[in-house]
Structure formats: C-alpha cells, structure tokens
Amino acid sequence: MRRCFLSTIPLLLFATVVAHSQELPTIPFEKYTLANGLDVILHVDKKIPAVGVCLWYHVGSKNEAPGRTGFAHLFEHMMFQGSKHVKGEYLALVSQAGGRANGSTTEDRTNYFETVPKEALEYALWLESDRMGFLLDAVTDEAFKNQQDVVKNEKRQGDNSPYSAVQYLVAEHFYPAGHPYAHTVIGSLEDLGAATLDDVKNFFRTWYTPNNCTLTLSGDFDVAEAKKLVQKYFGPIPAGPPLSRPRVSIPSFTTTKRIHATDRVPQARLYLRYPVPQMYAPEEAPLDMAAAALGSGKSSILYRALVRDQELASDVSVSNSASEICGEFAITVTARPGKSLDEIRAVVDRELAAFAQKGPDADDLAQERARVETRMIGGLERLGGFGGIGDRLCGYNTFVGDPDYFRKDLQRYRDVTPEAVKAAFTAWIAGKPRLEIEIVPETSGRPDTKDFDRSAPPAIAAVAPYAPPAVKTATLPNGLEIVVSERHDLPLVNAQLLIKSGNLLETADNAGETSMTAAMLDEGTAKRSALQIADDQARLGSRVSVGGGKQGSAVSLTSTKAKLDATFDIMADIVLNPAFPKDEFERQRKLAIDAVKRQKSNPGAVADRVFSRILFGATHPLGIPDEGTESSLAALKLENLTKNYQTYWKPDNAVLIFTGDVSLDEATALAKKWLGSWKKGAAPAKVMPAAKEPSEHVVYLVDRPGAPQSQIRIGALAPPRSTPDYHALLAMNNLLGGTFASRVNLNLREDKGYTYGARSGMSNQRAYGVWTASAGVHTRFTKESLVEFRKEIEGIAGPIPVTPEEAEGTKNILTRSFSQNFESNSGVLGQLSQLVTLGLPFDEAGKFVPAIAAQTPSTMTQAAKKHLDFNRAITVVVGDLDKIEAGVRSLNWGKVVIVNENGEPVR
C-alpha cells in the first residue's frame, strides 16, 4: 500500500540501459492496443522458462468517492476472490499452477501480477481476463464482508506498528480538505465498514475496464501465440466509460504547521514534509539529487551532521517522492534516546540553509548517477513482481502513455547540474503555486472478437524442464573455496564471502558479539575511514555490505562488470584490514542498542524474540538474540570484537561465491589478486548444543496494553535438514501454512476474517530445526484464533489427513515455481549460499523437483504425525492482557505464564 513512485528509479533503469548501449542491453518490446482500448506490451526474455504477467489499472485511492476511503484497496482484495468462470481464490490457483502472484494499491494505480511457468501462460491470461470481464457475476455479499474484515485486520496490523500514526497525520495536515491525497490508501475503519456491495459493482464498472488498463507479458513466450491468446481472452471484453482524472494539485503552506502527537515508541522522531511538483516535472530530477546528497548513505550531509558528528540521531532518511499529481520531499530523523527534537530541527535547518546556498558539487552528482546505474541494472533481472521489467513497462505506459519514454527520462537526469539542484531546492524546500480541467476524446470502440466458453480452465502443460545453473569450483592455496555460477545476459556480478562459523557459544553476557564484529568491518580499515569506504562505493555505483550472526557472517558485493575489480579492492580491504576504530565502535554500539529498544516497541519482533528464548532456553545460543541485548551490548569491549575477528575470519573457514557475468578463471584471478595474501588458520570447531524439547504445552503471555491485535506464535523443535523426512515436511508445511492457499490462511483469514495473514514455517537447519505457526489477529478473536490454529496443526497429523488433491496441489506449487528461485543473480547466490551453510553438495538443487514429485498424501501425513506434536509445543501471545488473558486461560491448554518483553517471568 505504500506509494509507488516510478519516475526516478524505474525510469532511470531504462534510461541507463539505452544510454550505455555499448555495455548494457536494450529492452526490446512491442506495444499495440486492442479495439476495446487495452494496451498490450510484449517483452521476450528466455533466461528461465517463466513469464511475468502484469496488469496496471489506472485507479488508486485518489479516485475514491467521499466517505469511501480505502475502497480502491478493498477492491484490490475483492479481485482475488474468484469470478464467474474461475472458482476459488486467485492466489491459490496461481500458486497451484507453479506461479507467484500478488497485487498492490497506491494513490494512483492498482496492479496485479503473477510470474508463472511458461506452460501456464494461457492459464494466467484466463484468470486475469475473467476477473476483468466477469468479476461481478461471482461477487457475493458474504465474500465482500469477509474481505472487509480482512482489510480491517490489515489496517489493525499496520496500526499496531511503531510510528504508524504518522501516515494519518501527514494525510490530514499536509493536504487541504478534499485533496485527492488527503487520506491514506488503506482508509478509515468507519469508511471500510460503510462500503456496500453496490459500491463494489459501481467501482468495478467505472475503473476495471480494458481502456483503463495496461497488460504486459515479459519472459519466455512465442510472440505470435501470445497475441492470439491475448486477443482470445481480452478481446471480447467491452470497453468502459470515458474517465475524468484529478489534475496536478500541489499543496501550499503560508506558515509552518506543527503537530505534536504521542505513540508507544522508544525514540522520538522528527518528520519534515515539503510539497513539491509531480512526477516528470522539470524539478523532479534536481530534487531527487538533492535528496540523495542530503540523506543517502553515511557520507550524506544530514547523516554526517546528525548521526556521526553530533550523535543526535540514530537514523536519517531523505526522499523526493513524486506522485501523479504532486509530490512530497520528506526528511525523517530518529532521535537518539534523550536527545532533543528541537536541537535536531535546528541542525537540519542549518544544513538545509547551507545546502541551498552552495548546492552539491559535481562529484556528488556523479556518485548518485553511478549508484542509480548499478541499482537499475539489477532491476532488469526480474521478469515481473514489484519493480520487475513488466512492472516498469506498465508504469511508463500508465503515467506517460509511452513505454519507450526512457530516453527523455535519462536526458533530464543527465542535464542536472549543481546550479539546477540549487535552484530547485531553493524554490521548493528552502521555501512556494491552478485548477485546469481537460476533456479528451475517448478513442476506444466496440470489441472485435466473439466471446467463447470460459468455464473450463485451459490445461497447464507438464513442468518445463529446468536445470539449475551449473557450478564451478576452485580453491586458493590459502584454503579459500571459490564457487562460480555464470550468467552473461547482463553486465552485473554478485558475490558473497561466507564465513562458515561464528561464535556458536555466545552467552547472555556477550550476545551480539559476532554481529557487532561484522558491523565494525566497514567502519574503517588501515587505509580507509568509514566515510571513505562509503564514498568509494558510491563513485563506482557498487555496493559492499557486511552482516553477521552467531552462526556465521557474510560480506556481500554487487557491481557492474566494468567496476568489479575496483569494487573487490574495497571488499578485500574490509575483510583483510579492519581497523576497529574505537570512536566508530562506540557509535555502532549506541545504534545497536537503539535498534534493540525499537524492536521492543514492535509486537511482532517481541513475539519472535520471546518465542526463541523460551523454546531453546535463556542460556542456549539460539535463545539469545543474534543482535544481542541492551545489557550484553553495553558490556561488550572492543577487544572482544578483535578477538572474534582473529578467531573466525580465516580463508580456510570461508567460501567465496560469484554469480553473474564472470567466469571461474576471472573469479579465481580476482580472489588471488585481492585475497591471496589472507593468512590461513583453522577456526575452532564449535558444535551447537542440543536443545531440550518441552515436556508439556505452556502458554506464555506478554502484555501490550491497548494493542488492537494479538501476535501469536505456536511452535516446537523440528529435525535438522539432514532428516530423511525433509521433502515430506516441506510439502506438508506448504499445505499447512506455507502459501496463501494453505489451510491456516484460508481458515483464519478467508473463512473467519480474524487476521490479515496466517502462516506456518518449517526451518530445517544444519544442526537443528523449528516449526512455527504465526499470525497477528484481531484482539477480540485471540482465543478463537488459537483454537483454529490447534485444529489445523493437529488435523493435518491425523483427523484431517492430506488428500490426494491437496498433495498434488502443493507439489505443483513447489515444482512449477522452482525455476523462479534462479531468476536473478541474487536468487542464484541465495540458493548457493544456503547449500554452503547447510553443508550440502551443489547438485542438491537438481534433486529438489524429483524429491518433491515423489511425495504422497501418506508421506506428508506421516511427516506431520512424526514431527508436529502440539503437546510438546509452546504458545506465545503478545497482546492486551486485560482483553485476552481470561479467554486464553479458559482454553485449559496447560500452564499459563506471564512474561515480559524479554521472556522473563512476571507472574
């Protein structure tokens, strides 16, 4: 539901592709329009046997009638409930076809998309065309009321998050009354409850029409056949009425308006919003560059001033968010505990005034262009989904009317000068405004194709054969393993250095040591300061990041092929020469403690932390948060981190993985050049201690006064990845709670309306496993939700065994969607990293589809019987005890213990 502003990033993506054609590919596409007004865009990409299907309807919350706020988003939900010829949930049907689907609503558009195996393209077009042309035939009052409840739960879930009130204050006070953006996308509970079935029908007839929609196909398909299918399924749908749209309307302020509000959060936060021009306006590109200079990265102006120099803030963000009829220039600052917002405001104002006076220098602009180029090349890897190629083509076509707009878009960023940034910033931020109505001819006509019998879904062919990318390996003399998976369709390389073991025996006293060690590596080296590390990456448009936990650490790299050697220089410097500067250590410690405090204000995070602590025990490594606790972080000493680094960061305890436009010889040469001098030395072997299984079911309650939702976690220990039951467990969990169409989600969300989403997970790691069931549910239905969870968990292990139809469906989901895990370099890298972490051979990925296909209803049911024992599970609920405790106790599930946010007993 968050705003989707395509003008800066997605448009620059295409601009970069064309502008540097000598090193970057073009994006070939064909656009045509059906007689009923539907715009169709086709882009062929055969790297995996899959197709992205994307539809953008040019309607969002700004088109809602008074008193019906949130209706565009509510209607998005209705579009997934089935249509005249499609019986069942769209997400479930796409999932069973091996696809991944979703949708979203912004102020300006609503999109629906699925990435499906190529053999299911016709099936996806059948689904999408039926809900465009025949939704109203299937809409019932019962289904409508159910989705009203679901959306209300989604709103409660969002409102249960820290700082959630800000979105409503911005909508109310930033925009004048009656402005199309003067309410949030999700709307108010009152308006959601007031919506009627007639509203649904009127909204659909007005906006969900072919002449208000763009359809994009991107991926592996035959163009001639695709055109026939598009004509067959969409051609007979009649055009809708001519539409009027709000025009550009930029708010103006005569004086600064200040609002003071309270929320249950650990740190104060300052939000500054400036009204600015809409997307594609001449000022947009200069203001984008101004936002980057002020708040993008550690070397940005406000980050330096507020976080590094004066340590007034934990975090700073600056963005220029241009929407269709106006934009917001946003500055957000999270204060460090005890720091004054007035003092922060003064520093911000001082820096803004200075920036208006001198503007950015040429190097600042060059850095931002380089960052955009690398980021946007990466976006080309994905066929569909949020931000994929199909999404971008739809966005261009919807807002500009031309999917080939990127040349003009690039030029406006190329033309940005320091003077232009300074002028735009002075005009709109360091300080200023018509109503026009246009009537344009409606060009759509009658459909030119006869309709056909849509009631029988098109058959989905057998799973297209797909072999995971080949893997090549080598080893340096110092023991560093090198793994390479080549992909040469884009000049982009991802790499990751995995440290295979961290401090598995962290205790409550030194919890967070390994993650803090990793965090310190890019805070300064023998030859670069933290800011120099950030600046050097920015100049290259590359990214090097470090992260870690007690089970291991990783240094990740993303770079264009041309900048790979220079980026590796930065990566190697971080790995080989960390300086562990004391001032940076103190700053990072403070920021880490601030983050832990913020987690405590997030009920979902509290539920997760408490669940792990109780399941594994307060002294077990897995019961202690990877990021540490306030007390353990406060007690850490710099020598703890240097010792951790010296102990575990060894080449013979590491694997270097490459994916993308690089060969094994090139990767080996890079590794030898930059990491060949790394001295070997075996890291000590540390074994994960066994965890004790609960002997009885215990319920743990955490009080969160006034919470509109209860966060539920139910789970227990599970077998490690080495279990022979792994694939049976995976298939079983996928059916129980692993997808939208799973038993628990269809029960708690679609049938009962208790939650925005319910799920279960089966995590089978190298030395242990955990299964969980979780949801954020309406406070009033906490007890009832627990009952339904238990019914589904116990049911799949016996009373409600897996049926042949369910088994076939869940196998289709897992096998048909398998190739999509390898859509991008980062996806391939994630798969290889997981195999390394689990200690599995690289050919294991090729065994996945046959292993899943071999599962039966019996194997799945037996796996549930063997490994899902509700009586040896625990339940954690974070919610308002005044409203939920009595109901929970009445279940008589066993002992009920009240614990605090750290999992420590209160009573």
Side-chain angles (χ1 to χ4, degrees):
M1 294 185 316
R2 304 180 74 176
R3 287 190 176 179
C4 179
F5 302 101
L6 282 110
S7 62
T8 302
I9 293 179
L11 300 188
L12 271 176
L13 180 152
F14 285 95
T16 304
V17 168
V18 174
H20 304 284
S21 57
Q22 70 275 16
E23 66 174 272
L24 301 177
T26 58
I27 307 297
F29 67 86
E30 177 183 353
K31 175 187 173 181
Y32 64 99
T33 303
L34 300 187
N36 57 13
L38 177 70
D39 284 342
V40 183
I41 303 171
L42 306 177
H43 165 73
V44 177
D45 183 341
K46 295 182 178 291
K47 65 183 175 184
I48 62 172
V51 184
V53 179
C54 183
L55 288 88
W56 274 41
Y57 292 89
H58 196 170
V59 58
S61 62
K62 77 170 184 290
N63 305 108
E64 293 166 348
R68 291 296 182 266
T69 65
F71 194 67
H73 174 247
L74 173 61
F75 195 83
E76 174 210 322
H77 280 252
M78 292 303 303
M79 285 283 280
F80 287 97
Q81 300 305 298
S83 49
K84 179 178 180 180
H85 307 100
V86 177
K87 310 304 180 185
E89 291 278 354
Y90 270 70
L91 290 178
L93 294 170
V94 172
S95 181
Q96 289 162 10
R100 300 171 181 175
N102 212 326
S104 66
T105 308
T106 71
E107 288 85 349
D108 303 313
R109 62 99 184 114
T110 307
N111 73 333
Y112 303 89
F113 57 85
E114 49 269 308
T115 300
V116 297
K118 62 182 294 185
E119 62 269 16
L121 173 58
E122 183 176 3
Y123 185 75
L125 294 177
W126 173 69
L127 291 173
E128 287 292 357
S129 66
D130 208 67
R131 63 177 168 185
M132 176 188 283
F134 304 93
L135 181 83
L136 296 187
D137 299 88
V139 172
T140 65
D141 194 58
E142 180 183 6
F144 175 59
K145 284 181 166 48
N146 172 270
Q147 288 309 303
Q148 281 180 304
D149 289 338
V150 169
V151 173
K152 289 177 182 178
N153 278 311
E154 181 180 357
K155 176 175 167 57
R156 293 184 186 100
Q157 184 164 304
D159 292 352
N160 202 25
S161 302
Y163 307 106
S164 61
V166 172
Q167 61 182 316
Y168 304 109
L169 294 173
V170 170
E172 179 184 357
H173 297 286
F174 187 81
Y175 297 100
H179 191 281
Y181 293 160
H183 60 273
T184 62
V185 174
I186 201 165
S188 71
L189 288 175
E190 293 75 18
D191 287 356
L192 288 170
T196 69
L197 196 55
D198 284 340
D199 292 327
V200 171
K201 295 178 178 179
N202 292 332
F203 196 89
F204 179 85
R205 294 185 183 110
T206 301
W207 299 105
Y208 277 78
T209 61
N211 50 305
N212 194 42
C213 182
T214 296
L215 165 67
T216 296
L217 306 184
S218 53
D220 185 2
F221 60 89
D222 178 80
V223 171
E225 180 63 21
K227 287 184 175 181
K228 292 178 183 177
L229 293 174
V230 170
Q231 182 64 33
K232 173 182 177 180
Y233 287 102
F234 290 91
I237 301 173
L243 299 170
S244 61
R245 303 187 185 280
R247 307 310 301 166
V248 171
S249 177
I250 305 173
S252 62
F253 293 92
T254 56
T255 61
T256 293
K257 181 190 296 186
R258 182 170 294 177
I259 304 297
H260 181 80
T262 60
D263 197 0
R264 294 181 182 274
V265 294
Q267 293 167 256
R269 185 175 284 180
L270 177 66
Y271 297 84
L272 305 178
R273 298 290 187 271
Y274 300 85
V276 294
Q278 72 285 1
M279 61 173 70
Y280 308 117
E283 300 90 343
E284 185 191 9
L287 289 175
D288 285 341
M289 296 300 190
L294 287 166
S296 177
K298 295 178 180 178
S299 60
S300 62
I301 293 169
L302 291 180
Y303 190 94
R304 279 178 185 259
L306 291 165
V307 179
R308 300 186 63 83
D309 295 347
Q310 300 190 43
E311 297 190 358
L312 295 173
S314 299
D315 186 58
V316 177
S317 66
V318 184
S319 64
N320 180 50
S321 299
S323 194
E324 189 172 14
I325 62 174
C326 69
E328 297 178 19
F329 192 96
I331 301 173
T332 304
V333 185
T334 303
R336 294 221 56 250
K339 300 300 181 180
S340 163
L341 291 183
D342 287 338
E343 189 177 0
I344 288 174
R345 183 184 293 105
V347 174
V348 171
D349 288 342
R350 185 187 69 218
E351 297 296 339
L352 296 184
F355 186 76
Q357 182 66 32
K358 62 183 181 180
D361 59 30
D363 188 53
D364 291 334
L365 297 182
Q367 287 186 21
E368 180 59 16
R369 291 192 186 100
R371 278 194 291 261
V372 168
E373 177 177 306
T374 302
R375 194 163 60 236
M376 293 314 108
I377 298 172
L380 286 176
E381 295 184 288
R382 298 169 53 214
L383 300 174
F386 292 116
I389 289 176
D391 214 30
R392 286 156 169 74
L393 288 170
C394 279
Y396 279 117
N397 196 64
T398 299
F399 294 130
V400 191
D402 179 12
D404 196 26
Y405 182 77
F406 48 83
R407 290 177 177 86
K408 294 179 181 177
D409 187 47
L410 171 63
Q411 195 59 49
R412 64 192 184 124
Y413 283 88
R414 285 179 164 180
D415 291 343
V416 172
T417 63
E419 292 75 22
V421 174
K422 180 178 174 181
F425 190 82
T426 300
W428 291 96
I429 309 305
K432 290 179 177 152
R434 128 182 167 182
L435 171 64
E436 292 186 359
I437 299 174
E438 290 184 354
I439 305 296
V440 298
E442 171 60 39
T443 58
S444 63
R446 295 181 181 276
D448 62 355
T449 305
K450 291 183 178 180
D451 212 339
F452 60 98
D453 181 9
R454 295 174 177 266
S455 60
I460 300 175
V463 178
Y466 178 73
V471 175
K472 300 177 182 178
T473 63
T475 304
L476 295 188
N478 61 6
L480 178 63
E481 296 178 54
I482 300 169
V483 177
V484 177
S485 177
E486 299 183 38
R487 174 179 279 173
H488 300 288
D489 54 335
L490 292 170
L492 186 73
V493 178
N494 287 50
Q496 187 173 77
L497 179 73
L498 282 176
I499 303 300
K500 292 189 286 188
S501 64
N503 185 359
L504 290 178
L505 299 184
E506 281 187 4
T507 67
D509 295 329
N510 73 330
E513 176 185 292
T514 310
S515 60
M516 277 291 289
T517 300
M520 282 297 297
L521 261 65
D522 62 353
E523 292 300 322
T525 69
K527 65 178 184 180
R528 289 180 173 94
S529 68
L531 293 179
Q532 287 172 320
I533 291 172
D535 286 343
D536 287 351
Q537 292 180 61
R539 291 188 189 95
L540 298 171
S542 302
R543 177 171 173 78
V544 179
S545 59
V546 190
K550 62 177 71 72
Q551 298 185 66
S553 301
V555 185
S556 302
L557 171 156
T558 301
S559 172
T560 57
K561 178 70 176 282
K563 306 294 177 61
L564 183 57
D565 185 74
T567 305
F568 232 86
D569 176 18
I570 301 171
M571 181 183 191
D573 190 31
I574 289 171
V575 173
L576 300 182
N577 308 306
F580 292 98
K582 184 173 179 56
D583 58 338
E584 297 291 355
F585 167 64
E586 294 300 338
R587 180 180 295 110
Q588 287 300 313
R589 188 218 302 272
K590 292 173 184 176
L591 296 179
I593 292 174
D594 291 348
V596 170
K597 291 179 178 178
R598 286 198 299 275
Q599 278 197 338
K600 291 183 178 181
S601 68
N602 185 320
V606 171
D608 290 336
R609 287 168 66 103
V610 171
F611 176 82
S612 295
R613 175 187 172 101
I614 292 171
L615 179 64
F616 288 99
T619 60
H620 191 281
L622 296 178
I624 303 167
D626 277 11
E627 63 274 19
T629 64
E630 292 174 62
S631 58
S632 69
L633 291 169
L636 279 181
K637 295 181 172 53
L638 193 55
E639 50 264 35
N640 299 133
L641 308 191
T642 57
K643 183 179 179 181
N644 185 288
Y645 168 78
Q646 292 163 359
T647 302
Y648 296 105
W649 286 74
K650 306 288 186 182
D652 38 348
N653 188 39
V655 177
L656 179 59
I657 306 172
F658 290 84
T659 64
D661 191 11
V662 62
S663 67
L664 178 62
D665 289 344
E666 290 171 323
T668 303
L670 271 172
K672 188 176 296 183
K673 175 181 178 180
W674 294 111
L675 297 173
S677 62
W678 197 4
K679 301 299 181 185
K680 67 188 305 182
K686 290 195 173 182
V687 179
M688 179 76 70
K692 184 179 180 182
E693 190 174 54
S695 58
E696 61 179 343
H697 196 107
V698 179
V699 180
Y700 298 86
L701 302 181
V702 183
D703 190 17
R704 185 173 174 83
Q709 278 194 328
S710 297
Q711 284 288 337
I712 294 173
R713 303 292 184 271
I714 303 173
L717 299 176
R721 175 61 177 81
S722 58
T723 177
D725 299 327
Y726 170 71
H727 292 97
L729 282 170
L730 184 64
M732 178 276 298
N733 177 73
N734 198 64
L735 171 60
L736 176 63
T739 68
F740 180 89
S742 65
R743 288 184 176 186
V744 296
N745 194 59
L746 292 182
N747 181 341
L748 275 80
R749 170 181 159 135
E750 297 302 303
D751 183 30
K752 303 298 191 306
Y754 294 161
T755 179
Y756 178 59
R759 60 198 59 84
S760 68
M762 183 67 65
S763 176
N764 306 101
Q765 301 300 316
R766 192 167 190 165
Y768 69 96
V770 178
W771 70 264
T772 56
S774 62
V777 304
H778 191 319
T779 297
R780 194 175 70 186
F781 300 111
T782 302
K783 172 186 173 181
E784 291 81 356
S785 298
L786 291 169
V787 169
E788 296 304 320
F789 262 126
R790 181 171 186 174
K791 182 181 79 174
E792 298 296 352
I793 293 167
E794 294 185 328
I796 201 168
I800 317 173
V802 178
T803 67
E805 294 76 17
E806 286 179 317
E808 193 62 27
T810 197
K811 289 195 296 181
N812 282 337
I813 291 170
L814 293 169
T815 57
R816 291 185 181 277
S817 65
F818 177 67
S819 68
Q820 296 168 45
N821 294 318
F822 302 88
E823 184 178 13
S824 64
N825 285 346
S826 60
V828 176
L829 187 65
Q831 294 291 311
L832 296 179
S833 298
Q834 184 180 45
L835 293 174
V836 170
T837 301
L838 294 171
L840 295 172
F842 293 118
D843 64 359
E844 182 71 19
K847 302 174 183 177
F848 179 84
V849 170
I852 293 296
Q855 300 308 313
T856 66
S858 177
T859 62
M860 297 180 204
T861 301
Q862 290 304 313
K865 286 182 177 180
K866 185 176 177 181
H867 299 290
L868 295 190
D869 185 351
F870 187 84
N871 293 320
R872 293 185 179 275
I874 63 169
T875 294
V876 173
V877 184
V878 180
D880 189 334
L881 288 197
D882 286 349
K883 297 177 181 177
I884 69 172
E885 183 178 357
V888 172
R889 289 186 181 276
S890 72
L891 293 173
N892 294 317
W893 281 6
K895 186 189 302 181
V896 176
V897 181
I898 312 301
V899 297
N900 62 19
E901 59 196 7
N902 296 317
E904 300 159 338
V906 175
R907 58 181 171 87

